[in-house]
Amino acid sequence: MKFTWFHLMPYRWLPADFRQRYHSVWVDLPNGIYDPEKGHDLYNEYLDMLEYAEQCGFDAIAVNEHHQNAYGMMPSPNIMAATLARRTSKAMLLVLGNSIVCYNPPTRIAEEFAMLDVISGGRLIAGFPVGTSMDINYCSGQNPATVRDKYREGHDLIMKAWRTREPFAFSGKYTKLRYVNLWPRPVQQPNPPVWIPGLGSIETWDFCAQHDYNYSYLSFSGYKRARNMMNGYWERRAALGADDNPHSAAFFQQVCISETDAQCEKEWWPHVDYFFNKCLHLYPGTSEAPGYRTEASLRAGIVSQFGNTTQNMGIDKSWKQLVNEGYILAGSPETVRQQVEELAKTLRVGHVLLGCHIGSAPAELVNRSTRLAGEQILPKLKHIYSDYEDRWWPKALPAARRAKAGASMPAGAAR
Amino acid sequence: MTEPRSRMVELGPGRPTLEVQEAGSGPPLFFLHGAGGVGWDGGLALLAKHFHVYAPALPGFGKSPSEGLEKIEDALELWQLGFDLVEKLGLDKPLLVGESFGGWIAAEMAALRPKEVGKLVLMAPVGVWRDESPVVDIFGLTIGELLPFLFYDLNSAPARNMAALTSLMSDKDDRTQAQIDALIAIFLGFRTAAKFLFPVPDTGLERRLWRIRVPTLVLWGAQDKLIAASYAEIFAKHVKNSQVVLVERCGHLPLAEQAETTAKEIARFAGV
């Protein structure tokens, strides 16, 4: 199995009385409370964490896409990935953005991902989320009634653009282009591996199986609560005649690693508290626009404007509850290792996306956690599922063929 | 109350199938509902004493299958659909009445083919926008929070009926199938409205209002907090042959909250 270090990039200075003063962390939280100078430090600190993860042995580093959101400060994941492409050389770059429907024309995504793939020497994993309703409907104005149709059309256009070596015309319902002719085109042929982040809808499972894409279940509620959902995934794959290759699935899990179990709660609780009780403070009225989910998916779990999005999100839970219920895997490296192994085996996932940063966690704590994971967790679990071919991993240029950042500068100029 | 008859109207292959309810006798009144669907409890039943009321349900509303929405590509096709129904029902220059979302459709129909409309009644129609007086975002509020924007008197019977729905918005998993179906119905109706009105219900109607030449009644709840009654003046300014009636002690849904006054005004305007 492979390990990806996944950053959400939360803002660290939400006020103590945040939940009383503001009704949501997302969509309409006034940006007056964002301090760009603090943001400057934060971006650089967070990018350092991702780069350090490569040094600690993580197979990939990951960024994602959110808009108008204080817990996810990456409206453009491609900008983050571009900085990482230059400052890293071994780790694969998992970009679990680009929300296809928000880009006009969608060939912009094909172009930017191709640029990232070329700059990084073929290390890109391309993520195509539909996007949350907050992001795509409320923040980006996309129509919820047509968004899935538009997504499918945009996807088809991007894949055709990557795979076609001659200019072609595209006449879709949402995009019409007389000349599609991608410059540059990706290093990886015919295209970078595609991962689709999702929250458990059957349509997404079918889409992944149909195109042989990786399905990435991004959950904040932990692996224990994900079992039914992932069972559903494997059953659906079987019903569709797809194989049971564990690498076809990825799972996001937040972890808090300290030297000892005893130390962990003291070091991590304030930051875990910050995440669950501030970062997940959402307003139900703008959590799901009508039409975003199909009727079938809606019947499977009525929330949003019809219910309470705090349900099962981990808000107002104690450290003990969050740990026991698996929202976070916390403790010494060995304690966390055991749980990650259980996660991988019970959910049958070959890709674990570790959230090693959480809430307001500072660099020192996070980097230490990353190092402990790299030293004491990753090497002990890599063998799991190694007998399965990973068709969802980048086919990068051989290391010797990859350019080194700064190599062509005059002697002494590179730093 | 006059019990409406319900039937399904098919418009042919590749077209939506729609439920049409009708009641009463007299000159034809073609009614286009708002985002809440067709309600017969209030003013419609009163209007059926003067008119033969035809009330189609758009896809996702009433018994009209939600999949029909995929067969209406854009706003123009929605307006044309209105005339397809008028024709299918065999109505000759009906009194066209629309509220809110349906008011927008009615206004567009009258602007598109004015010779096929008798008279026009617009009750707090959407479609026009002023930055200084934004229309409330019905897609960005919980239903409980929407109520004070819809009603002048939250203790009125229609307000209490709608408030009963909010009790279904719990975070518990203890709803009955009927309750779930009721929630899904609201969701599917709003989805249809969203296709044409999301994210900002500024449809460009204002540029077309001058095309409306039929006698027009613009009727607004004086205390409408969803779309301010000041919007009535915009319609009056552009629609030459129009008159404005503000209904007192009334929010966004005159047909529900002030049924008698509203029905009376419409009958007076129509001359029946």
Side-chain angles (χ1 to χ4, degrees):
Chain A
M1 59 188 290
K2 297 190 182 72
F3 288 90
T4 297
W5 202 104
F6 193 115
H7 217 319
L8 297 172
M9 300 202 176
Y11 190 63
R12 190 183 281 158
W13 294 277
L14 297 175
D17 58 351
F18 175 67
R19 271 168 76 181
Q20 288 75 51
R21 275 169 64 188
Y22 301 98
H23 81 170
S24 185
V25 75
W26 209 331
V27 180
D28 59 356
L29 176 63
N31 71 10
I33 70 170
Y34 176 81
D35 180 338
E37 286 192 28
K38 286 177 172 165
H40 167 70
D41 289 336
L42 211 50
Y43 270 140
N44 284 283
E45 198 180 296
Y46 284 170
L47 289 164
D48 286 348
M49 289 177 190
L50 284 156
E51 291 169 18
Y52 184 59
E54 177 191 65
Q55 293 182 30
C56 293
F58 277 80
D59 301 293
I61 48 182
V63 292
N64 72 344
E65 173 176 352
H66 284 309
H67 300 266
Q68 303 178 193
N69 179 332
Y71 84 65
M73 295 190 298
M74 290 181 278
S76 170
N78 297 353
I79 289 179
M80 295 288 115
T83 76
L84 295 168
R86 286 277 294 173
R87 298 267 308 171
T88 62
S89 60
K90 299 190 293 285
M92 303 303 145
L93 304 172
L94 169 58
V95 184
L96 276 184
N98 295 197
S99 300
I100 292 174
V101 294
C102 295
Y103 300 91
N104 181 19
T107 40
R108 172 74 183 222
I109 296 170
E111 290 171 339
E112 291 195 1
F113 271 166
M115 287 174 72
L116 286 170
D117 201 48
V118 172
I119 293 171
S120 69
R123 289 186 285 138
L124 178 74
I125 301 169
F128 290 138
V130 171
T132 70
S133 187
M134 289 76 98
D135 288 316
I136 63 173
N137 301 135
Y138 292 107
C139 298
S140 305
Q142 296 298 311
N143 194 300
T146 51
V147 89
R148 287 180 194 269
D149 195 35
K150 188 178 178 188
Y151 173 88
R152 280 185 290 271
E153 180 184 300
H155 161 272
D156 293 348
L157 170 57
I158 291 166
M159 297 311 289
K160 190 171 180 188
W162 274 345
R163 292 172 175 182
T164 305
R165 297 286 75 89
E166 298 287 335
F168 65 90
F170 185 87
S171 178
K173 197 192 289 185
Y174 305 93
T175 300
K176 294 194 195 299
L177 294 170
R178 190 77 230 193
Y179 305 102
V180 182
N181 182 29
L182 216 60
W183 279 79
R185 61 185 172 91
V187 164
Q188 298 184 74
Q189 293 297 313
N191 54 265
V194 174
W195 291 22
I196 310 287
L199 293 167
S201 76
I202 293 173
E203 303 95 74
T204 309
W205 296 341
D206 290 0
F207 185 77
C208 288
Q210 181 194 346
H211 295 281
D212 205 26
Y213 296 156
N214 169 287
Y215 175 71
S216 304
Y217 184 24
L218 304 185
S219 162
F220 292 144
S221 53
Y223 77 103
K224 289 182 182 173
R225 289 172 178 276
R227 206 169 299 175
N228 281 344
M229 196 71 97
M230 287 309 293
N231 283 345
Y233 169 77
W234 292 114
E235 282 165 19
R236 186 69 192 163
R237 257 184 98 78
L240 294 168
D243 66 21
D244 64 350
N245 190 323
H247 300 297
S248 75
F251 186 74
F252 173 79
Q253 174 70 57
Q254 293 186 307
V255 294
C256 304
I257 308 166
S258 294
E259 270 83 359
T260 65
D261 288 345
Q263 211 178 317
C264 194
E265 178 176 353
K266 187 166 174 292
E267 286 185 331
W268 285 94
W269 169 244
H271 314 301
V272 168
D273 178 33
Y274 185 96
F275 180 75
F276 284 100
N277 293 315
K278 286 184 182 165
C279 294
L280 296 188
H281 177 50
L282 300 175
Y283 168 60
T286 51
S287 68
E288 187 173 313
Y292 172 76
R293 261 192 298 178
T294 61
E295 183 179 346
S297 289
L298 197 75
R299 282 186 187 277
I302 293 182
V303 286
S304 80
Q305 291 185 322
F306 304 141
N308 185 345
T309 52
T310 60
Q311 189 185 22
N312 294 338
M313 291 275 277
I315 289 182
D316 289 331
K317 284 183 187 286
S318 68
W319 170 265
K320 194 163 279 176
Q321 285 172 312
L322 290 169
V323 172
N324 289 345
E325 295 172 24
Y327 283 82
I328 50 170
L329 310 187
S332 69
E334 176 54 21
T335 301
V336 174
R337 185 201 64 76
Q338 287 171 15
Q339 293 180 82
V340 173
E341 183 168 355
E342 187 177 300
L343 177 164
K345 289 184 173 166
T346 55
L347 302 184
R348 198 183 165 77
V349 292
H351 290 285
V352 176
L353 317 178
L354 289 182
C356 290
H357 174 276
I358 191 163
S360 56
E364 185 278 327
L365 183 62
V366 174
N367 289 333
R368 176 150 49 90
S369 177
T370 303
R371 179 175 54 77
L372 291 170
E375 288 171 356
Q376 299 182 50
I377 298 178
L378 275 47
K380 294 178 184 169
L381 298 178
K382 280 186 180 227
H383 64 281
I384 299 173
Y385 302 132
S386 58
D387 45 339
Y388 287 88
E389 183 201 358
D390 188 352
R391 305 197 295 273
W392 298 271
W393 198 246
K395 294 177 183 64
L397 295 174
R401 279 283 302 111
R402 287 183 221 157
K404 288 179 184 55
S408 66
M409 287 186 183
R415 53 186 181 95
Chain B
M1 188 183 107
T2 322
E3 278 299 317
R5 301 179 297 282
S6 166
R7 60 171 154 141
M8 301 305 291
V9 173
E10 291 185 18
L11 294 169
R15 307 291 318 284
T17 295
L18 300 176
E19 181 194 21
V20 176
Q21 291 179 298
E22 51 184 297
S25 58
L29 185 158
F30 189 76
F31 176 74
L32 288 159
H33 62 80
V38 180
W40 281 93
D41 297 343
L44 272 195
L46 299 176
L47 286 169
K49 292 177 180 169
H50 306 282
F51 302 92
H52 187 150
V53 177
Y54 299 83
L58 292 170
F61 291 94
K63 297 191 186 110
S64 299
S66 180
E67 303 82 72
L69 186 61
E70 273 57 59
K71 296 163 185 166
I72 308 170
E73 189 79 21
D74 54 25
L76 176 61
E77 291 189 9
L78 178 65
W79 313 335
Q80 289 171 330
L81 173 71
F83 283 111
D84 292 346
L85 283 167
V86 168
E87 195 174 314
K88 190 91 183 174
L89 294 167
L91 312 184
D92 181 34
K93 298 182 79 165
L95 174 66
L96 192 50
V97 181
E99 63 172 351
S100 194
F101 171 41
W104 164 61
I105 302 167
E108 296 282 13
M109 285 174 68
L112 187 68
R113 285 152 67 170
K115 288 177 183 163
E116 295 172 45
V117 174
K119 288 182 171 181
L120 178 66
V121 177
L122 304 175
M123 293 183 286
V126 298
V128 171
W129 180 267
R130 285 289 180 276
D131 285 342
E132 60 275 18
S133 181
V135 175
V136 168
D137 180 13
I138 65 167
F139 307 114
L141 291 169
T142 61
I143 292 183
E145 288 162 317
L146 192 53
L147 281 177
F149 292 106
L150 292 178
F151 294 98
Y152 165 74
D153 179 4
L154 285 171
N155 289 315
S156 63
R160 284 204 311 272
N161 286 343
M162 202 173 288
L165 287 171
T166 62
S167 67
L168 300 180
M169 317 293 157
S170 78
D171 56 357
K172 299 194 201 85
D173 291 325
D174 58 356
R175 298 183 191 88
T176 64
Q177 191 56 47
Q179 288 175 322
I180 288 173
D181 289 344
L183 285 177
I184 296 284
I186 297 171
F187 170 87
L188 292 177
F190 265 53
R191 169 178 177 266
T192 294
K195 178 159 184 174
F196 304 99
L197 303 178
F198 190 95
V200 174
D202 180 5
T203 60
L205 170 64
E206 191 172 352
R207 286 196 312 278
R208 297 180 285 272
L209 283 176
W210 66 270
R211 294 176 181 278
I212 299 176
R213 294 177 195 114
V214 297
T216 300
L217 169 64
V218 179
L219 191 142
W220 226 288
Q223 289 82 29
D224 189 336
K225 289 195 277 289
L226 197 86
I227 312 175
S230 55
Y231 274 80
E233 291 310 316
I234 302 168
F235 285 83
K237 186 179 112 191
H238 295 296
V239 182
K240 290 290 172 252
N241 195 357
S242 66
Q243 50 181 280
V244 172
V245 168
L246 296 186
V247 180
E248 285 301 327
R249 303 178 60 79
C250 186
H252 182 63
L253 305 170
L255 218 44
E257 196 165 14
Q258 293 294 347
E260 279 187 30
T261 308
T262 303
K264 206 178 291 173
E265 285 293 343
I266 292 172
R268 174 196 60 77
F269 168 73
V272 297

